[in-house]
Structures are given as structure tokens and as C-alpha cells.
């Protein structure tokens, strides 16, 4: 029954028909009612106590020494269900890239406290050929300095890394020192029309483009009615699915108008988390029932997917009705749900240095688990881990834990974000 329902949904998507939310709800209800979730297998990751330590504490577990999760033998079905969809292939100019370069392309990494273009980490990331570099407020002192930093990052082999940042408006703003303060998304939705929010997104996008930024980790499509200072709080546009979806879509379209890639986050919805529980430091369990997930939390994402948002970020929240053992960012079930909603862009994890992931998987193991589960890009704010993460992915392919076609597909999607027919040529 699980295969039949999922196949019917994928068939509708291949006919370029995005099923409306009511159909999605019905399909998901059937899938959940008959147990369409990832069942535990032998050799999986150990359960760990999430109490006490901070987000950057590394805890060695069997996953770190083996396959970072459930082993995928060469005869198994792809964990993300890619076999049921048309293959995503590398562009001709990138077809000859060596395995090490492809593995680097699926990594998007930060540079803690780096502002100097001559910093050794800048040269390291340029040589590795990572797919993206994440700039935060710790990388910003002036527009001239940011420009020099970006030019240094782009001196390596083609394709140059995409430059991404976190500009949500309100309290999450990597470039506040240059762009100034702004109202929170919650306040914007309460005081502005969607057209005005789109115009604001367009202005922001133009400012980011002037700073050589390509990609913004915004907007939030989460539905949240909790305290403004909560983990999501006033970062969300609204407490009602329709409001959150309409305003998030308007903001994403504004970014697109300015040529900036938008990111819908945090799939499949971060708003169903008890107040005060933060995935930056510990495991987080969603309180959403299957019905709440269907009718409340997925709705804004469906709107953004139908509007062709190019990137969706997966949360580190564990949704027991999808996968009892793994957070969404590491769960094949979550990626299958995203693809069955018609999304064929880049699926990226939230930062794997956050405690909800990092207390269970070290950076290299998390990269392997995420790509095997169905991610196309892995975000890590600590770029000093990039080489180890790349090498782990290469080893996983060579030893048969990760199919080469899965890595090729992920790299192809990241390459497709570049508006260039031949991204691997200078």
C-alpha cells in the first residue's frame, strides 16, 4: 500500500501537476495509517542522552566508525527513493569532475571569525572547491572587506563556490552592520501587504547582490504562535498556515526578482516544538500529530514549492510520525515526503554542528548520513571540517556505503543553482 500511494503521488508530479493540499493530506494520512515510515534496521545509530552538553560537543558512537547510520548495500533500494524519479544528471562541462570534487560540491560551509582574505581557511576552501561558503556576521566588517573576501574565495577551480548568508529580517541578520536593523517577519506580516513584503525582499536581494551574495537562507515557512523570542517565534511570518505561506512566498519572490536564491525552511515545519527546546543544543521531538503536520505545517511549504522555490532546508527536529529514530535532516522518510510534494530543487540540511545532530554524528559521519538519506547539500558552519567531510563522502562511495549516482544527483542539483549552462568552465 505504501508503494502504491507514493507511486501515485509521484506519477502526478511527473505529469507536472502539483497536487493540492487536500490531496497531499489524504495521501499522507494513508501513508501514515499503514506505517509508511522508516523501520529500525540492525546496525543503526545508538540512542544518546541529549542532556547537558552544548551544540559543539562531539560524542563518538558506532555511527562515526561505520556507515553513519543504516548501511545501504549495493543491492538495496535508494534510501531517498530516487530510482522512482527521472535521474538528475551532471551538466556536460562537469561530467569529468573527479570524485573528490563532486564530494566537495555538496558541502556548504562557514568560516568562523574569518574576515581576512589571506586567512589560510579561505585558500583551503577555494582549493577544495566546496559548493558554497556561508557568511555570517562574524565575517563582516565592511562592504570593501566582504568584496575582497568573496574574490579570494572565487580564485580556485571552476565552479566557484556560491556565497550564501542568513538574512531573514529582524533578529537573524548576518549583514546588520551594513544593512541596518529591520522589522521581524512577524511584524512585517502584521503591518504590510504581501506586495510590500515582496518589494522589501527585492530591496534586500539587491543589497545582497551588491555584496556578491548569491543565496539567502530565507524565508521561514514555519508556522509559529509562540513567544516572539522563541527558537522560531517572530522569525515566522505567522501563526496561521495561509498567512505564513503567502508572506513567505512573497519574500521569496522578492529575492528572486533581485537574482538571489531563496531557501524555504525548516521543512517539514519547526513550529510544532515546545517552547524553550532548541535543536542548537539537544534532540528535539515534534509535538505535531499526523493531522497537524498535514493541515498546518506542510501547507506553507507546498505553496513555496508550487512557486518554484529553488532550495528547501530540512530541520533537525525529529518527527516521530515520519521517523522515530532520526531528525528530518538525516531521515530518508523526510526527503521522500519532500520529493513526493513535487520538489526537485536542492534539499539542504540545517547546520550539522547543531546539538540535535552533532551529539550523535561527528561532522564527517553527518555528511554521509545526510547525503545517503536524500540531502543534496550539507551545511556546516565550521569550514575547518570541510576536508574531513569530503574525504568521508569519497570513502563512502569507494566502499559501497553511498551510491555514486546519489552523489552525482546531489552535486548536479547544487550545480543547477548556478545560472550558467557550463558551470565547470571558466
Amino acid at each position: 500500500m505504501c508503494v502504491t500511494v507514493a507511486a501515485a503521488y509521484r506519477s502526478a508530479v511527473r505529469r507536472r501537476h502539483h497536487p493540492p493540499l487536500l490531496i497531499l493530506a489524504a495521501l499522507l494520512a494513508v501513508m501514515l495509517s499503514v506505517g509508511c515510515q522508516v523501520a529500525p534496521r540492525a546496525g543503526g545509530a545508538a540512542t544518546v542522552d541529549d542532556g547537558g552538553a552544548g551544540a559543539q560537543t562531539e560524542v563518538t558512537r558506532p555511527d562515526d566508525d561505520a556507515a553513519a547510520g543504516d548501511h545501504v548495500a549495493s543491492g538495496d533500494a535508494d534510501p531517498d527513493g530516487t530510482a522512482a524519479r527521472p535521474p538528475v544528471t551532471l551538466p556536460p562541462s562537469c561530467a569529468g569532475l573527479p570524485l573528490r570534487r563532486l564530494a566537495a560540491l555538496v558541502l556548504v560551509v562557514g568560516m568562523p571569525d574569518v574576515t581576512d582574505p589571506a586567512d589560510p581557511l579561505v585558500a583551503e576552501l577555494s582549493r577544495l572547491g566546496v559548493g558554497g561558503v556561508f557568511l555570517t556576521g562574524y565575517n563582516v566588517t565592511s562592504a570593501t572587506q566582504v568584496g575582497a573576501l568573496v574574490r579570494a574565495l572565487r580564485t580556485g577551480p571552476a565552479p566557484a563556490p556560491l556565497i550564501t548568508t542568513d538574512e531573514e529580517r529582524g533578529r537573524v541578520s548576518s549583514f546588520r552592520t551594513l544593512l541596518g536593523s529591520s522589522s521581524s517577519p512577524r511584524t512585517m506580516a502584521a503591518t504590510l501587504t504581501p506586495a510590500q513584503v515582496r518589494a522589501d525582499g527585492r530591496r534586500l536581494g539587491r543589497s545582497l547582490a551588491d555584496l556578491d551574495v548569491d543565496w539567502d537562507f530565507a524565508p521561514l515557512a514555519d508556522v509559529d504562535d509562540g513567544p516572539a523570542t522563541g527558537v522560531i517565534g517572530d522569525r515566522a511570518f505567522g501563526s496561521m498556515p495561509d498567512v505564513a505561506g503567502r508572506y513567505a512566498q512573497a519574500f521569496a519572490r522578492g529575492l528572486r526578482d533581485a537574482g538571489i536564491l531563496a531557501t524555504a525552511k525548516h521543512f517539514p515545519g519547526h513550529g510544532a516544538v515546545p517552547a524553550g527546546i532548541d535543536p542548537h543544543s539537544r534532540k528535539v521531538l515534534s509535538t505535531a500529530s499526523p493531522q497537524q503536520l498535514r493541515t498546518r505545517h506542510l501547507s506553507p511549504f507546498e505553496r513555496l514549492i508550487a512557486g518554484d522555490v529553488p532550495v528547501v532546508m530540512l530541520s533537525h527536529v525529529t518527527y516521530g510520525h515520519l521517523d522515530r529514530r532520526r531528525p528530518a535532516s538525516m531521515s530518508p522518510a523526510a526527503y521522500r515526503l519532500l520529493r513526493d510534494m513535487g520538489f526537485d530543487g536542492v534539499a539542504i540540511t540545517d547546520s550539522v554542528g547543531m546539538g540535535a545532530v552533532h551529539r550523535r554524528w561527528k561532522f564527517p559521519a553527518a555528511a554521509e548520513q545526510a547525503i545517503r538519506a536524500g540531502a543534496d547539500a550539507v551545511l556546516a558552519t565550521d569550514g575547518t571540517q570541510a576536508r574531513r567531510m569530503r574525504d568521508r563522502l569519497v570513502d563512502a562511495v569507494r566502499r559501497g556505503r553511498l551510491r555514486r549516482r546519489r552523489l552525482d544527483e546531489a552535486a548536479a542539483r547544487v550545480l543547477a543553482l548556478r545560472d550558467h549552462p557550463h558551470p565547470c568552465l571558466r
Side-chain angles (χ1 to χ4, degrees):
M1 181 63 177
C2 297
V3 174
T4 303
V5 172
Y9 197 102
R10 285 192 291 266
S11 176
V13 170
R14 282 198 296 270
R15 293 195 300 270
R16 305 186 65 80
H17 170 64
H18 291 283
L21 183 60
L22 290 178
I23 297 177
L24 170 63
L27 290 175
L28 184 58
V30 175
M31 293 171 74
L32 292 172
S33 69
V34 297
C36 289
Q37 59 185 33
V38 179
R41 299 179 187 175
T47 301
V48 297
D49 182 3
D50 293 316
Q56 295 300 319
T57 302
E58 291 194 357
V59 182
T60 302
R61 290 292 182 265
D63 287 344
D64 296 326
D65 301 321
D70 298 328
H71 182 71
V72 180
S74 59
D76 292 343
D78 284 351
D80 67 334
T82 53
R85 288 181 294 275
V88 180
T89 58
L90 293 166
S93 67
C94 305
L97 286 180
L99 178 59
R100 284 154 56 107
R101 287 294 314 283
L102 290 173
L105 278 170
V106 303
L107 304 178
V108 179
V109 298
M111 302 185 298
D113 299 319
V114 172
T115 57
D116 186 353
D119 189 285
L121 184 57
V122 175
E124 166 84 351
L125 298 181
S126 179
R127 284 194 301 269
L128 286 176
V130 294
V133 175
F134 176 44
L135 299 185
T136 71
Y138 296 107
N139 306 121
V140 177
T141 61
S142 70
T144 300
Q145 169 265 330
V146 170
L149 189 62
V150 171
R151 286 192 296 274
L153 288 165
R154 289 174 171 166
T155 58
L162 293 167
I163 305 301
T164 186
T165 194
D166 219 353
E167 278 293 334
E168 298 174 2
R169 291 310 211 189
R171 58 185 157 116
V172 177
S173 173
S174 297
F175 286 91
R176 180 178 288 110
T177 56
L178 303 183
L179 303 181
S181 299
S182 59
S183 298
S184 70
R186 180 181 286 183
T187 298
M188 292 170 68
T191 59
L192 303 176
T193 66
Q196 290 171 321
V197 168
R198 179 171 182 170
D200 182 82
R202 186 183 306 115
R203 286 191 295 271
L204 171 62
R206 288 170 178 165
S207 297
L208 293 178
D210 289 342
L211 292 165
D212 292 322
V213 172
D214 306 296
W215 178 3
D216 189 10
F217 290 150
L220 270 73
D222 300 313
V223 176
D224 189 271
D225 57 3
T229 57
V231 176
I232 299 300
D234 64 359
R235 297 166 61 195
F237 281 101
S239 60
M240 299 300 293
D242 182 61
V243 172
R246 284 190 294 115
Y247 278 89
Q249 184 178 58
F251 191 83
R253 285 176 170 171
L255 291 174
R256 183 182 63 189
D257 293 342
I260 299 296
L261 297 163
T263 306
K265 62 184 187 185
H266 306 79
F267 185 86
H270 202 302
V273 173
I277 300 180
D278 189 344
H280 287 83
S281 59
R282 57 173 295 181
K283 179 179 180 180
V284 175
L285 292 172
S286 170
T287 60
S289 68
Q291 182 178 9
Q292 289 171 331
L293 183 64
R294 293 191 306 269
T295 61
R296 179 172 173 81
H297 298 287
L298 291 177
S299 174
F301 289 97
E302 175 149 29
R303 183 187 291 267
L304 284 153
I305 290 168
D308 294 323
V309 70
V311 185
V312 171
M313 179 179 286
L314 278 285
S315 77
H316 293 328
V317 176
T318 297
Y319 300 85
H321 301 293
L322 292 175
D323 188 334
R324 293 186 297 271
R325 301 171 59 240
R326 287 164 289 208
S329 58
M330 302 285 144
S331 170
Y335 290 99
R336 281 197 298 269
L337 175 60
L338 177 61
R339 298 303 180 193
D340 286 344
M341 289 173 65
F343 182 68
D344 199 34
V346 169
I348 187 172
T349 70
D350 207 339
S351 176
V352 295
M354 292 167 61
V357 167
H358 197 56
R359 289 174 59 81
R360 179 166 170 181
W361 293 277
K362 293 182 180 179
F363 286 100
E368 179 182 336
Q369 174 64 26
I371 297 298
R372 285 179 40 225
D376 304 304
V378 180
L379 174 63
T381 55
D382 186 358
T384 64
Q385 302 293 326
R387 184 176 293 274
R388 295 175 61 220
M389 294 166 73
R390 181 207 63 180
D391 291 347
R392 177 66 177 247
L393 291 172
V394 170
D395 182 73
V397 171
R398 288 176 174 168
R399 294 178 181 270
R401 300 192 306 269
L402 172 65
R403 284 192 183 83
R404 174 63 182 263
R405 69 175 182 180
R406 172 78 271 273
L407 182 62
D408 285 353
E409 176 188 60
R413 286 200 176 107
V414 173
L415 288 165
L417 292 177
R418 295 159 172 81
D419 187 20
H420 197 293
H422 308 292
C424 294
L425 297 180
R426 282 289 184 187

